[in-house]
Amino acid sequence: MTRVLLLTTGGTIASRRGDQGLEPQISARGLLEYMSDLRAHYHIDARDILNLDSSNIQAEEWQTIARHVFENRMEYSGIVITHGTDTMAYTASVLSFMLRGISIPVVLTGAQLPMAHPLSDGMENLRTALAMAASGVPGVFLAFDRKVILGCRAVKTRTTDFDAFESVNWPLAANVDGKGLQIHREAI
Ligand code: GLU
């Protein structure tokens, strides 16, 4: 079974409603519980590395994320990183340069609604991210709303739509449709 590492950093996907609004509260283990059907397809190990609203992520956290990816690159076929949507595109871009030449897929994803919400898009986004992480195509990517975007091309363009990210001046790296994960190698 393909081995994928899930690294969590906080964001809406891992949040619950608290006294101060949404607070990142769901641990990596908690996220894994939501993903029980996916665990029939992938061997998934999960680790909490940060627990932040992504508007508080800065250069120090980018180093932490990059280090965890680099240290685990030989043990896993791919790595998925859950992250708040507000600065996910910035993290995807900076990781593209920090991890230049990485030999495995590294895929950031998140959600517009927490996993604990009955209408959450988190599960769908994790499905796409895991498929890309298991694809064997190396690089840094952002997966959202069944689209996979090159990390250095992603921009958040919509605040609440599930279709929150666009690939700027570049075709999608992959997308999910009725044929499964369609990888567009000419774009990678
Ligand atoms: N501002 C929060 C963050 O970026 C919530 C936005 C989100 O995750 O969608 O972590």
Side-chain angles (χ1 to χ4, degrees):
M1 216 181 262
T2 308
R3 287 170 58 82
V4 177
L5 177 63
L6 175 72
L7 299 174
T8 71
T9 71
T12 291
I13 191 167
S15 292
R16 290 187 200 278
R17 195 157 292 284
D19 296 340
Q20 319 269 315
L22 284 180
E23 298 165 5
Q25 287 183 359
I26 304 176
S27 65
R29 186 182 288 263
L31 276 185
L32 267 189
E33 279 171 21
Y34 285 98
M35 298 161 69
S36 50
D37 62 326
L38 288 176
R39 295 171 79 188
H41 302 278
Y42 313 102
H43 172 98
I44 309 171
D45 291 330
R47 276 175 225 159
D48 296 304
I49 57 169
L50 298 168
N51 192 25
L52 293 171
D53 182 304
S54 75
S55 47
N56 295 320
I57 287 185
Q58 354 186 9
E60 192 182 334
E61 284 77 30
W62 289 334
Q63 287 180 326
T64 301
I65 298 169
R67 193 176 60 247
H68 275 85
V69 170
F70 188 76
E71 286 172 356
N72 286 287
R73 72 196 186 287
M74 308 300 269
E75 308 294 322
Y76 293 92
S77 303
I79 297 181
V80 172
I81 304 164
T82 55
H83 194 290
T85 59
D86 286 342
T87 68
M88 194 194 302
Y90 303 124
T91 299
S93 189
V94 80
L95 288 180
S96 301
F97 295 98
M98 291 176 86
L99 297 168
R100 196 155 41 175
I102 189 85
S103 55
I104 59 170
V106 176
V107 191
L108 287 111
T109 196
Q112 294 283 42
L113 281 172
M115 281 297 264
H117 192 289
L119 295 174
S120 178
D121 53 329
M123 200 60 222
E124 206 51 58
N125 292 340
L126 279 167
R127 282 184 207 288
T128 303
L130 279 160
M132 191 66 197
S135 70
V137 177
V140 177
F141 305 96
L142 186 154
F144 219 87
D145 198 38
R146 299 187 178 176
K147 299 193 289 198
V148 181
I149 301 170
L150 275 190
C152 59
R153 295 286 177 166
V155 173
K156 186 178 179 185
T157 51
R158 297 179 195 89
T159 309
T160 53
D161 273 21
F162 288 153
D163 183 14
F165 290 88
E166 292 295 336
S167 182
V168 174
N169 292 331
W170 200 254
L172 292 178
N175 67 291
V176 175
D177 65 16
K179 291 192 228 132
L181 181 74
Q182 303 293 311
I183 294 172
H184 309 300
R185 286 186 192 274
E186 69 288 354
I188 298 172

